Amino acid sequence: MRGIPVKVGTPLQSIVMLPWPDFNNTYIYDEEAYCDPSIIWNNKICEIRRGGYFLETESTSFTKSSDLVAAGGAGQELAVRGSELGVAKLLSTSLGGTDLLSAGSSGNLTSMPLGIPRMRWDNGYSILHALGLGSNSTYLNSLVHAGQIPSRVWSMFWGRTWTGAKTDIDGVLVLGGYDKEKVIGRNMTQLLDYSQETGCWTGMKVTVSDVFVNFRNGTDVSIMPRSSAAQCCIVPQRQLLWEAPDGIVEGFEKATNMESTDLSFGLHWGAKLYNTSADLFDGDITFLLSSGLQVRIPNNQFLTPFVDIDRNGSRQIHPDRTEMLMTGVGDNPSTLGRYFLTAAYLMVDHDASTFTLWQANPSSRSSLVPVVSRPTTNEDCGDRGSEGSEDSSSGGSSGGNSRGDSGGEGLGTDVPSAQPSISTALIAGVVAGGVVFVGALAALIFFLIRRRRRNKPTIAHAVPRDGPAASSDSDDHKMEKTLPPEAPGSLPKPSELRGREYATPREVHGSSSPWANMATLGPTAMTYELDGNGTMRDQRVYSGYMYHAR
């Protein structure tokens, strides 16, 4: 199973997790895993698809509590229409306790509250253990409190598979910052909004203005009804590219002359199945967001082999069938899942209550940028929105326009950028942590980059909002060292933007990026890569805090 390799308990037990942006708590399964017996036929398949079991009775460091909140867990999980059906009761019914957890092999274990589900709460396809990265994430709070990351910021790129063994690209989950090697051009930034009005349980609602199928002859055909738009919730743990309005999925099949034969019950549960022998579409698909940001998904990231887990626990690929990673949602909210992040890079900043999207750069290189932010106000976000609208409509210095025909060049500042950062998001010269994930349960490979311990921390100066660009010999900005704000005790409750502004969600696309380019994090540190044979080889990397798994 693809996910984040995690070690839990004493002695260490290996499991695989997925990031959940809507959960404040972290939930892991033991042998009572509550798999859906209609699609998962035996315990071996269940164990594989859950990412392995955590046996709390065999961990000497596990301490049981009366419930999850008593163990130090967050007292609230967000349950709205469209989210997993059992979330409303998950917190109150789970076995609660504390144990040591580490997303890597460094031995830097973090003691934190854990929930062990005692009911079947998910929809059957959620599968892996849930690493809660919500607005009051106990995991992020623990890492900040321990000084392991500078802020409650996380970002991710899902990576790319099915391209060939030598050309597949690892994904990345970065804690405390983002990977500037994985982003291209301008970004869009928007306030997180968990309110019931949005109907988006992750707080990340965007408007898809149009969707084009890109034929190899250069022709682009829209598959959306004229003068329409689709409100979509970004849900990275979902297993498809797009759970879309039924009419749009039908429009794709009509435009590509494809006819599905069934629905998948494999790893891409709910995907449409096609006979591989048929004349399948060989082009790409492009999403145009209302901000102007364009995200083009390669063909092999949404038309994939049909993959399942056999009864003996082995992965099996059915070459005679192909999955199209879109499905209709009927009356349920539309979602953009993990495969959207094969071509888009997402960053969530809980300290500023914002999320940011870039076009992704599918690179195996990595350059971590730490981020420390002050809380963002509605006025700040509005300023960025008006600036972005003015820049987009005029084309700006980069030649973009309001529809994003330049591929998103008119949305914000380039990252890394020579422009000054906005006042509501300061980057401190401290370490960022990251997790790179694209792995199998039976073969996990990870890096750990240890942060450099300085005798005397360096205090730099802030760059003013309208200050000069970086000098020609260096694009690094010196920033003041800013401590991360205290983690809130409950979900954010936006109180000023209500009514029409939130009833019609829109992307905020300022002309100033919230991030400035940082200097190199320090001299090299020793890390090790564990290959499939269990051998170690050292690598030199920048000082930081990063895990890697394939």
Side-chain angles (χ1 to χ4, degrees), residues 351-368:
D351 294 335
S353 296
T354 62
F355 71 96
T356 298
L357 282 174
W358 289 267
Q359 178 185 348
N361 176 34
S363 170
S364 59
R365 299 178 59 185
S366 181
S367 179
L368 300 182

Side-chain angles (χ1 to χ4, degrees), residues 17 111 118 133 178 191 199 202 241 244 420 433 436 444 455 479:
M17 309 189 78
S111 178
R118 284 294 176 256
L133 298 177
Y178 74 101
L191 280 174
T202 66
L241 165 63
V436 181
L444 303 178
N455 293 328
M479 308 297 292

Side-chain angles (χ1 to χ4, degrees), residues 406-450:
S406 64
E409 283 296 306
L411 299 177
T413 56
D414 290 329
V415 178
S417 171
Q419 300 295 326
S421 68
I422 63 172
S423 60
T424 56
L426 299 179
I427 300 174
V430 291
V431 65
V435 177
V436 181
F437 63 101
V438 171
L441 179 62
L444 303 178
I445 302 175
F446 33 82
F447 293 143
L448 173 69
I449 304 177
R450 299 180 185 274

Side-chain angles (χ1 to χ4, degrees), residues 208 211 223-225 228-233 242-252 272 287 326-336:
V208 177
V211 178
I223 60 174
M224 291 185 64
S228 68
Q231 307 285 314
C232 298
C233 188
W242 197 15
E243 295 173 299
D246 294 339
I248 296 178
V249 179
E250 294 170 1
F252 174 87
K272 285 183 168 289
F287 290 80
M326 292 191 291
T327 193
V329 292
D331 296 331
N332 291 316
S334 297
T335 65
L336 291 167

Side-chain angles (χ1 to χ4, degrees), residues 288-549:
L288 174 62
L289 303 187
S290 62
S291 64
L293 182 67
Q294 293 188 41
V295 178
R296 181 164 176 154
I297 314 295
N299 181 273
N300 55 19
Q301 300 305 297
F302 70 93
L303 285 171
T304 67
F306 174 36
V307 182
D308 202 357
I309 303 298
D310 200 0
R311 292 179 184 272
N312 62 7
S314 63
R315 173 178 290 220
Q316 57 180 354
I317 298 178
H318 304 270
D320 59 328
R321 283 172 285 178
T322 295
E323 294 176 321
M324 192 265 285
L325 305 186
M326 292 191 291
T327 193
V329 292
D331 296 331
N332 291 316
S334 297
T335 65
L336 291 167
R338 66 187 68 161
Y339 283 88
F340 182 70
L341 300 180
T342 63
Y345 189 97
L346 169 68
M347 182 173 75
V348 176
D349 186 342
H350 287 305
D351 294 335
S353 296
T354 62
F355 71 96
T356 298
L357 282 174
W358 289 267
Q359 178 185 348
N361 176 34
S363 170
S364 59
R365 299 178 59 185
S366 181
S367 179
L368 300 182
V369 177
V371 175
V372 174
S373 304
R374 294 199 301 267
T376 299
T377 66
N378 293 327
E379 182 180 355
D380 293 329
C381 204
D383 286 343
R384 278 184 279 160
S386 67
E387 291 170 1
S389 298
E390 179 178 341
D391 180 64
S392 295
S393 61
S394 63
S397 61
S398 60
N401 55 49
S402 62
R403 286 188 57 83
D405 295 330
S406 64
E409 283 296 306
L411 299 177
T413 56
D414 290 329
V415 178
S417 171
Q419 300 295 326
S421 68
I422 63 172
S423 60
T424 56
L426 299 179
I427 300 174
V430 291
V431 65
V435 177
V436 181
F437 63 101
V438 171
L441 179 62
L444 303 178
I445 302 175
F446 33 82
F447 293 143
L448 173 69
I449 304 177
R450 299 180 185 274
R451 65 174 172 174
R452 182 189 183 196
R453 300 186 180 277
R454 301 176 182 269
N455 293 328
K456 295 182 179 181
T458 300
I459 307 297
H461 301 286
V463 176
R465 179 182 177 118
D466 298 319
S471 61
S472 58
D473 60 339
S474 173
D475 60 357
D476 300 327
H477 296 306
K478 293 182 179 179
M479 308 297 292
E480 66 178 354
K481 184 176 182 181
T482 307
L483 295 177
E486 182 178 352
S490 61
L491 294 174
K493 299 178 180 178
S495 58
E496 298 182 15
L497 289 182
R498 282 290 185 265
R500 293 184 179 180
E501 288 211 51
Y502 271 78
T504 308
R506 57 187 175 84
E507 285 79 35
V508 180
H509 42 93
S511 60
S512 293
S513 167
W515 330 120
N517 196 25
M518 283 299 297
T520 299
L521 295 179
T524 59
M526 185 74 72
T527 62
Y528 299 93
E529 179 178 354
L530 176 64
D531 66 22
N533 296 320
T535 58
M536 308 292 288
R537 63 179 185 272
D538 68 58
Q539 297 199 357
R540 297 283 180 172
V541 291
Y542 287 122
S543 173
Y545 192 80
M546 177 178 178
Y547 313 114
H548 178 100

Side-chain angles (χ1 to χ4, degrees), residues 33-38 50 85-86 117-124:
Y34 299 96
C35 290
D36 184 349
S38 66
R50 285 300 192 200
L85 295 176
R118 284 294 176 256
M119 62 173 286
R120 183 177 149 195
W121 63 273
D122 64 1
N123 288 323

Side-chain angles (χ1 to χ4, degrees), residues 157-181:
F157 164 63
W158 181 252
R160 292 187 179 178
T161 53
W162 317 117
T163 64
K166 295 183 178 180
T167 54
D168 282 357
I169 300 172
D170 288 343
V172 60
L173 172 65
V174 180
L175 304 178
Y178 74 101
D179 189 342
K180 69 179 181 179
E181 285 287 347

